[in-house]
């Protein structure tokens, strides 16, 4: 077309109308995708994005991404947190600069970290000790870098953090803050947060992080929602941003302890000297509140000792060191971002590259760019973030990026989706992401942050189980590869060192492997309870065990989380408590009070959960129903901080309740997921009949399993008592050792037969006829009986002195030639070592449990060196033996045997190798034996290495 015939350029007014129309089309599309079952009304320029259109933070991120692509602009980062309506977005579009290809900064070849890094020593028993040690040892060492797109951002070194935190501490002391006082932090991600947190600690106070408002226009409403937390923790000072100070005065009448609302700048500039108070490991270091809105807030009490134990256990499992680089966008009021990313990095001198959550949500590419740019090795996120990257990043966004430095991608804090894990590993493999980098974990604030981590280098492990068996009987039976209805669960690893988990039924009886139950835990990271909440604390503890409120099962030592017992809903990393929300929604005119159920429903397309509001109403006219949806959306957004994904207006008597009037949320969710809402009600007699028939089978099965389990346990102990009595009498009377061993062998194999326990042995033909040292893993008290019943030759047991406190048992052990050793007396241990060597040289085969002890948690403990030094000095081979299955049948601390099968795998003899000395020969024997046992015991390795080159025996037991 020639210029003469070209249409005249559009007027500014016409262009503005076209932009507004295009924008509203995008807004309507996103809103409809978020709420396909009940789309919000058509968007207007002044509609509120979350309250009226139901566009939450993730939907907002998707909308902004589409705006940038459609209009060819780059919106500034603050738009994500400030816009309220499409009109605000239209203004931002008109003021935005044209979109340019994002250049990927080259990774620095030698980042300026400020000298050689050293982790804080074991003598640093508090977080304050850690900071003071780093500031003294390497003050110029880079600790935190605040990420920016266009430059290197602000750098914070240990010395600066210590000095600025001392200034804040002095300001707090000047304000009258005493050791043990609570100081609430309502600050966005930035330098002020780090200074304020450690400033509170240095003053001996307890920092209480709460999440800052997403948008400043909602500041007053946000503070009102946080009032319940503040009333519970009773802070003396609230540190926040300057804009919050005026609105913060609204809290003074509700929080009587709050004496001052201030900023970091005001505290730091007020002068005064800092006086260090006494700070002990058992002092409270942090109150970690859930991120949702609740009338009954739960502040998890975490001491310095809890935090240090968890940080060290985490670092040991992942082999963290100062050569790592942690990249994080996680909020600092959340345990994964605060403890896992920041405080863990602080203890181990790991540089932390940090950006705000809004920076990531606005442009997820920033996460990858920061890892590429700074050679990030560690990073963490909830599952929704990995899914967001899959949906938001196109091929153009990935150009020039290299993720090969990424060593571990922690995936936790909410349910881990097998679909997301698989797709993420496949999609980003071309830019260097390795499958073994994906690292699904499990943890909770009540255990500081981490509880179970996988074995390094394994990659994600996904278990496919039979849907019917799990949903009906709670049995996680492996499904066939061709089963289209199979459920998939992602392995979250095994407990950190010093921590334990168990799966229990409703009576707190421990369940066997692949049986679903409640997940309980204990360990040095465990909280002492909830702050000023006696009732919640009492419900948390079951003797020494803490209840996670989650459902799961154990298979092959890995924990698999299958759901939640508790009604807390996790949506986009936020905890939502339904009771308060249901009560508020029931007050809306037209909604039946007490007939509202709020629950989460899995979204197979996104791998996350949808927030569903099911509300009964008698209104039938569509204008009335549309008004109800709008009010429900607004109230939910106000109380929960996010809009509901689905609003279902149902006829009366749809929401299910118990006979006592309690909401049956799980049953209502099932009704919704089956699409049964709104169907004509069946006659009462038919409903009752169907209910009775449907519940009869599961009840009979549960009762039958319980009775069968108790009967089996009683029968097993009866069989053991008979076998032990016969064996004891014959052993004490039989004159020849061969006869004694024949009786024991027959009794052990007979016990397996009587208890219907399949007992198989592999590789027995590899046992040499000559003397050897037998080395076995130790998982249960059953191990000795199993070895006697399966090995075709006699041997000498090495047992701990404290195993035989009963005189009769001690005489029995001596009668069968067992050798009792002292574990804790160094001189006695040396004498026992000489004794073992002499026995081996004299032609006896000696059997050691190389771990020295056993625990209830699956996993191979470190090996003690006694067995291997004995073999090296006596010049006899080591025969490794792996036992599998005994721990599941009879765990440590339990006397309730369960059905199972046992396999014993005998390895080939390992000759004493040529080495510089006997000690190094013993080390080689240990490593070879351990490798065989790890291959066949079916349990993970619970150690990353043992003491080497010390030139001494490490002892016989733990």
């Amino acid at each position: 077309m020639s210029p003469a015939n070209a249409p005249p350029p559009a007027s500014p007014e016409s262009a503005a109308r076209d932009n507004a129309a295009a924008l509203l089309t995008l807004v309507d599309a996103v809103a409809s995708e978020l709420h396909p079952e009940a789309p919000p009304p058509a968007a207007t320029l002044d509609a509120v994005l979350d309250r009226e259109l139901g566009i939450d933070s993730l939907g907002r991120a998707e909308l902004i991404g589409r705006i940038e692509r459609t209009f060819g602009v780059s919106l500034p980062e603050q738009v994500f947190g400030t816009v309220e309506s499409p009109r605000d977005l239209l203004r931002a579009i008109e003021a935005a600069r044209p979109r340019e290809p994002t250049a990927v900064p080259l990774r620095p070849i030698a980042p300026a970290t400020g000298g050689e890094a050293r982790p804080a020593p074991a003598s640093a028993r508090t977080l304050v000790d850690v900071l003071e040690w780093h500031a003294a040892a390497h003050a110029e060492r880079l600790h935190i870098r605040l990420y920016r797109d266009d430059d290197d951002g602000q750098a914070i070194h240990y010395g600066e953090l210590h000095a600025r935190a001392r200034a804040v501490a002095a300001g707090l002391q000047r304000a009258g803050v005493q050791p043990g006082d609570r100081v609430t932090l309502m600050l966005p991600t930035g330098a002020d947060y780090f200074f304020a947190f450690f400033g509170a600690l240095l003053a001996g106070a307890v920092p209480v992080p709460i999440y800052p408002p997403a948008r400043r226009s909602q500041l007053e409403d946000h503070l009102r929602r946080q009032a319940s937390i503040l009333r519970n923790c009773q802070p003396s000072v609230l540190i926040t941003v300057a804009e919050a100070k005026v609105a913060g005065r609204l809290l003074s009448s509700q929080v009587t302890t709050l004496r001052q609302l201030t900023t970091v700048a005001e505290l730091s500039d007020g002068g005064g000297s800092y006086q260090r108070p006494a700070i002990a490991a058992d002092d409270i270091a942090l109150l970690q509140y859930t991120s949702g809105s609740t009338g009954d807030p739960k502040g998890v009490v975490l001491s310095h000792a809890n935090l240090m134990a968890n940080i060290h256990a985490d670092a040991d499992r992942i082999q963290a060191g100062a050569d790592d680089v942690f990249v994080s966008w996680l909020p600092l009021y959340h345990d994964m971002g605060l403890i896992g990313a920041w405080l863990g990095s602080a203890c181990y001198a790991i540089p932390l590259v940090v950006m705000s959550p809004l920076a990531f949500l606005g442009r997820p590419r920033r996460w990858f760019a920061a890892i590429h740019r700074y050679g990030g090795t560690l990073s963490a996120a909830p599952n929704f973030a990995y899914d967001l990257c899959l949906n938001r990043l196109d091929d153009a966004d990935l150009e020039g990026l290299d993720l090969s430095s990424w060593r571990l991608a922690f995936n936790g804090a909410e349910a881990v989706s097998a679909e997301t894990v698989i797709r993420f590993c496949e999609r980003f493999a071309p830019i260097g992401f390795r499958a073994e980098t994906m690292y699904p974990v499990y943890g909770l604030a009540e255990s500081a942050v981490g509880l179970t981590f996988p074995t390094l280098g394994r990659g994600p492990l996904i278990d496919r189980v039979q849907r019917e068996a799990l949903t009906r009987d709670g049995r996680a039976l492996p499904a066939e590869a061709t089963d289209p209805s199979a459920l998939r669960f992602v392995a979250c690893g095994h407990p950190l060192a010093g921590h334990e988990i168990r799966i229990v039924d409703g009576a707190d009886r421990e369940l066997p492997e692949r049986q679903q139950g409640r997940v309980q835990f204990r360990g040095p990271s465990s909280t002492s309870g909830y702050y000023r909440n006696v009732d919640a604390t009492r419900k948390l503890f079951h003797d020494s065990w803490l209840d996670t409120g989650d459902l799961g099962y154990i298979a092959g030592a890995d924990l698999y989380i299958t759901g939640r017992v508790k009604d807390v809903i996790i949506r986009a990393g936020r905890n939502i408590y339904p009771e308060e929300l249901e009560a508020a929604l029931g007050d809306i005119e037209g909604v039946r009070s007490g007939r509202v159920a709020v629950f989460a429903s899995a979204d197979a397309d996104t791998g996350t959960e949808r927030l569903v509001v099911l509300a009964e109403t008698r209104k039938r006219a569509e204008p009335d129903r549309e008004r109800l949806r709008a009010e429900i959306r607004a109230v939910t957004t106000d109380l929960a901080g996010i809009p509901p994904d689905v609003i279902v207006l149902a006829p009366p008597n749809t929401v299910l309740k118990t006979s006592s009037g309690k909401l049956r949320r799980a049953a209502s969710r099932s009704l919704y997921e089956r699409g049964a809402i709104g169907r004509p009600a069946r006659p009462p007699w038919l409903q009752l009949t169907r209910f009775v028939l449907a519940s009869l089978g599961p009840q009979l099965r549960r009762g039958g399993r319980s009775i069968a389990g108790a009967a089996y346990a009683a029968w097993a102990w009866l069989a053991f008592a008979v076998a032990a009595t016969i064996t004891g009498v014959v052993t004490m009377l039989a004159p020849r050792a061969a006869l004694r061993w024949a009786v024991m062998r027959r009794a052990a194999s007979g016990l397996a037969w009587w208890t219907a326990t399949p007992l198989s042995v592999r590789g027995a033909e590899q046992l040499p006829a000559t003397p050897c040292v037998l080395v076995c893993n130790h998982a249960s008290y059953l191990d000795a009986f199993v070895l006697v019943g399966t090995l075709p030759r006699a041997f000498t047991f090495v047992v701990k002195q404290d195993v035989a406190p009963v005189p009769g048992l001690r005489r029995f052990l001596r009668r069968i030639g067992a050798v009792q050793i002292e574990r804790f007396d160094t001189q006695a241990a040396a004498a026992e070592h000489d004794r073992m060597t002499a026995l081996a040289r004299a032609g006896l085969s000696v059997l050691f449990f190389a771990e020295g002890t056993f625990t209830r948690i699956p996993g191979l403990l470190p090996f003690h060196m006694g067995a291997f030094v004995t073999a090296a000095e006596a010049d006899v081979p080591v025969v490794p033996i792996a036992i599998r299955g005994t721990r599941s049948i009879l765990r440590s601390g339990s006397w309730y045997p369960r059905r199972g099968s046992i396999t014993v795998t005998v390895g080939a003899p390992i000759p004493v190798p040529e080495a510089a000395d006997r000690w190094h020969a013993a080390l080689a024997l240990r490593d070879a034996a351990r490798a065989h046992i790890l291959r066949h015991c079916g349990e993970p390795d619970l150690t990353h290495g043992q003491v080497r080159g010390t030139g001494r025996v490490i002892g016989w037991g733990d």
Side-chain angles (χ1 to χ4, degrees):
M1 182 182 296
S2 64
N5 298 325
S11 66
E13 294 79 8
S14 175
R17 286 195 299 270
D18 292 343
N19 286 343
L23 173 61
L24 293 178
T25 299
L26 290 177
V27 172
D28 283 335
V30 172
S32 297
E33 291 168 13
L34 290 172
H35 311 281
E37 300 177 16
T44 65
L45 286 177
D46 295 311
V48 180
L49 291 174
D50 49 11
R51 287 171 55 93
E52 298 180 35
L53 301 177
I55 299 179
D56 62 3
S57 59
L58 296 182
R60 187 183 295 252
E62 174 64 24
L63 175 59
I64 289 176
R66 295 188 189 183
I67 289 172
E68 291 185 327
R69 290 191 294 271
T70 300
F71 290 93
V73 297
S74 292
L75 298 179
E77 179 181 320
Q78 61 268 26
V79 165
F80 189 94
T82 58
V83 295
E84 302 284 348
S85 65
R87 190 177 300 280
D88 295 334
L89 285 170
L90 186 60
R91 294 192 188 103
I93 292 169
E94 293 170 348
R97 66 178 187 273
R99 190 181 186 191
E100 299 175 356
T102 304
V104 180
L106 296 177
R107 184 184 308 161
I109 298 175
T113 55
E116 182 182 358
R118 287 175 287 168
S123 59
R125 302 178 64 237
T126 71
L127 293 174
V128 172
D129 294 339
V130 168
L131 179 58
E132 291 176 340
W133 186 88
H134 281 304
H138 38 227
E140 297 306 314
R141 169 77 180 177
L142 175 68
H143 175 34
I144 299 167
R145 184 176 296 281
L146 300 174
Y147 179 84
R148 288 175 56 90
D149 290 330
D150 50 358
D151 59 38
D152 283 341
Q154 181 181 354
I156 302 174
H157 302 83
Y158 281 103
E160 180 188 3
L161 176 60
H162 184 232
R164 297 290 296 273
R166 279 174 60 98
V168 172
L172 290 172
Q173 291 177 336
R174 188 178 63 253
V177 171
Q178 299 296 315
D181 284 358
R182 278 72 58 207
V183 174
T184 303
L185 313 181
M186 193 173 69
L187 294 164
T189 299
D192 280 357
Y193 184 98
F194 303 109
F195 302 151
F197 187 92
F198 261 112
L201 288 177
L202 286 171
V206 179
V208 184
I210 62 175
Y211 66 98
R215 285 171 294 284
R216 293 176 179 176
S217 64
Q218 297 180 345
L219 183 58
E220 178 180 336
D221 180 62
H222 176 82
L223 290 174
R224 291 184 184 277
R225 294 204 306 269
Q226 300 301 306
S228 60
I229 291 178
L230 298 176
R231 285 193 295 268
N232 179 253
C233 71
Q234 296 184 326
S236 57
V237 173
L238 171 63
I239 306 177
T240 185
V241 294
E243 293 83 353
K245 292 188 65 178
V246 174
R249 296 194 180 96
L250 295 169
L251 297 172
S252 59
S253 61
Q254 302 181 47
V255 185
T256 58
T257 61
L258 186 59
R259 299 194 303 266
Q260 185 172 357
L261 194 139
T262 186
T263 66
V264 168
E266 291 172 343
L267 289 170
S268 302
D269 297 341
S273 60
Y274 164 67
Q275 300 296 321
R276 190 190 192 282
I279 301 171
D282 291 334
D283 290 345
I284 300 176
L286 170 67
L287 293 183
Q288 177 69 57
Y289 281 87
T290 56
S291 58
S293 174
T294 171
D296 184 29
K298 297 182 180 70
V300 179
V301 176
L302 295 172
S303 68
H304 287 276
N306 294 147
L307 294 175
M308 297 301 290
N310 200 261
I311 288 169
H312 290 316
D314 289 354
D316 179 67
R317 177 64 58 84
I318 67 173
Q319 300 182 21
D323 53 345
D324 279 309
V325 175
F326 206 119
V327 175
S328 178
W329 55 264
L330 295 169
L332 292 168
Y333 55 80
H334 190 279
D335 50 17
M336 184 182 273
L338 173 61
I339 305 169
W342 176 34
L343 297 180
S345 297
C347 286
Y348 282 82
I350 297 172
L352 173 67
V353 179
V354 65
M355 68 184 76
S356 74
L358 294 182
F360 162 73
L361 291 173
R363 291 195 180 85
R365 185 184 187 278
R366 287 192 176 106
W367 187 20
F368 287 6
I371 292 171
H372 165 97
R373 180 177 179 183
Y374 292 104
T377 60
L378 307 173
S379 196
N383 188 84
F384 84 85
Y386 295 97
D387 199 74
L388 185 66
C389 291
L390 286 168
N391 296 329
R392 286 281 306 279
L393 299 180
D394 55 30
D395 291 343
D397 291 320
L398 305 182
E399 290 182 6
L401 290 177
D402 179 7
L403 300 183
S404 60
S405 66
W406 201 350
R407 189 167 68 85
L408 291 177
F410 302 91
N411 188 339
E414 64 183 19
V416 180
S417 163
E419 179 69 18
T420 299
V421 165
I422 294 170
R423 290 178 57 216
F424 192 92
C425 292
E426 292 176 349
R427 170 76 193 286
F428 300 113
I431 59 172
F433 188 87
R434 301 176 299 276
E436 58 268 26
T437 295
M438 180 59 70
Y439 199 66
V441 297
Y442 174 71
L444 64 167
E446 287 81 355
S447 184
V449 58
L451 183 56
T452 66
F453 281 15
T455 302
L456 282 179
R458 183 186 68 185
L461 181 63
I462 297 173
D463 192 28
R464 302 178 76 257
V465 302
Q466 298 174 22
R467 179 185 296 271
E468 181 69 13
L470 185 70
T471 56
R472 184 187 64 185
D473 299 328
R475 294 183 298 160
L477 301 180
E480 298 292 338
T482 56
D483 183 356
S485 66
L487 296 170
R488 295 189 297 179
F489 298 107
V490 181
C492 296
H494 51 278
L496 299 170
H499 296 73
E500 299 178 89
I501 59 171
R502 67 174 185 175
I503 309 297
V504 300
D505 60 16
D508 280 351
R509 291 189 298 262
E510 188 163 6
L511 295 171
E513 287 199 0
R514 289 198 169 275
Q515 184 69 46
Q516 179 182 254
R518 300 176 71 106
V519 182
Q520 295 181 346
F521 73 98
R522 62 185 179 188
S525 304
S526 301
T527 178
S528 58
Y530 299 116
Y531 190 71
R532 298 181 64 241
N533 195 328
V534 177
D535 289 341
T537 299
R538 183 173 59 251
K539 295 175 184 177
L540 174 66
F541 282 90
H542 296 242
D543 295 326
S544 63
W545 295 88
L546 286 75
D547 196 331
T548 65
D550 291 321
L551 292 172
Y553 65 91
I554 292 176
D558 272 290
L559 173 66
Y560 293 84
I561 299 297
T562 59
R564 285 187 297 279
V565 179
K566 57 190 178 182
D567 290 322
V568 179
I569 301 166
I570 301 179
R571 180 67 172 88
R574 181 190 296 272
N575 293 348
I576 301 169
Y577 294 81
E579 293 89 349
E580 180 188 18
L581 183 53
E582 288 162 347
L585 294 175
D587 291 336
I588 297 175
E589 182 184 355
V591 174
R592 299 188 71 202
S593 180
R595 310 296 300 192
V596 180
V598 176
F599 51 82
S601 178
D603 186 345
D605 294 332
T606 65
T608 59
E609 292 181 327
R610 294 180 294 180
L611 177 60
V612 179
V613 173
L614 172 61
E616 291 185 9
T617 181
R618 298 185 187 276
K619 301 291 186 182
R620 295 188 176 183
E622 187 55 35
D624 292 335
R625 295 171 71 87
E626 188 57 48
R627 175 188 61 80
L628 287 179
R629 292 191 189 98
E631 291 191 36
I632 289 172
R633 190 175 296 114
V635 171
T636 302
T637 304
D638 287 343
L639 288 180
I642 59 174
D645 296 287
V646 179
I647 299 173
V648 181
L649 298 180
N653 302 317
T654 298
V655 175
L656 302 177
K657 288 191 172 186
T658 66
S659 58
S660 61
K662 294 181 179 178
L663 284 175
R664 297 173 57 204
R665 295 187 185 89
S668 297
R669 178 178 62 237
S670 177
L671 196 69
Y672 161 74
E673 292 175 342
R674 296 199 314 269
I677 293 175
R679 293 179 183 173
R682 298 183 177 92
W685 67 267
L686 180 58
Q687 294 183 43
L688 180 61
T689 302
R690 289 171 58 88
F691 175 77
V692 171
L693 293 177
S695 62
L696 186 61
Q699 289 180 6
L700 290 175
R701 284 191 295 270
R702 284 194 295 269
R705 287 199 303 271
S706 180
I707 294 172
Y712 176 81
W715 168 251
W717 279 115
L718 176 62
F720 172 79
V722 172
T725 301
I726 296 174
T727 302
V729 171
V730 174
T731 300
M732 298 305 293
L733 297 179
R736 293 183 296 110
L739 178 58
R740 294 193 288 268
W741 273 90
V743 171
M744 289 193 301
R745 191 171 292 116
R746 181 65 60 87
S749 57
L751 182 62
W753 185 82
W754 290 334
T755 58
T757 302
L759 180 59
S760 61
V761 60
R762 303 169 184 169
E765 70 281 356
Q766 299 191 89
L767 277 172
T770 56
C772 61
V773 170
L774 306 171
V775 175
C776 186
N777 61 307
H778 202 7
S780 170
Y781 285 119
L782 297 177
D783 295 338
F785 300 96
V786 168
L787 293 171
V788 168
T790 55
L791 298 184
R793 55 175 293 184
F795 49 85
T796 299
F797 271 113
V798 177
V799 299
K800 300 175 290 187
Q801 187 75 33
D802 51 354
V803 166
V806 181
L809 182 56
R810 189 177 296 117
R811 288 196 299 271
F812 173 80
L813 292 172
R814 284 201 298 266
R815 189 68 173 162
I816 66 172
V819 178
Q820 300 174 45
I821 61 172
E822 173 59 54
R823 296 190 295 161
F824 304 114
D825 188 320
T826 304
Q827 293 182 348
E832 303 291 1
H833 161 65
D834 295 337
R835 184 181 175 193
M836 296 300 103
T837 303
L839 290 175
R841 287 172 175 166
L844 294 179
S845 293
V846 187
L847 185 141
F848 293 81
F849 291 113
E851 294 166 280
T853 188
F854 60 90
T855 65
R856 53 178 315 286
I857 294 300
L860 198 63
L861 297 171
F863 280 6
H864 298 284
M865 293 298 297
F868 309 102
V869 172
T870 294
E873 295 196 353
D875 199 22
V876 297
V878 168
V879 177
I881 301 173
I883 301 179
R884 181 170 186 167
T886 56
R887 195 187 313 266
S888 182
I889 294 174
L890 186 64
R891 289 182 184 270
S892 174
S894 172
W895 299 105
Y896 195 90
R898 298 183 181 273
R899 292 181 179 274
S901 61
I902 301 172
T903 303
V904 177
T905 306
V906 181
I910 306 170
V912 178
E914 295 292 334
D917 51 41
R918 292 299 186 188
W919 175 251
H920 287 87
L923 291 172
L925 289 171
R926 181 204 61 192
D927 293 344
R930 188 177 182 86
H932 168 85
I933 293 173
L934 270 174
R935 282 196 301 271
H936 298 285
C937 71
E939 296 187 349
D941 190 355
L942 295 187
T943 181
H944 298 308
Q946 301 175 2
V947 178
R948 293 178 178 271
T950 61
R952 61 182 178 86
V953 178
I954 301 183
W956 301 96
D958 58 349

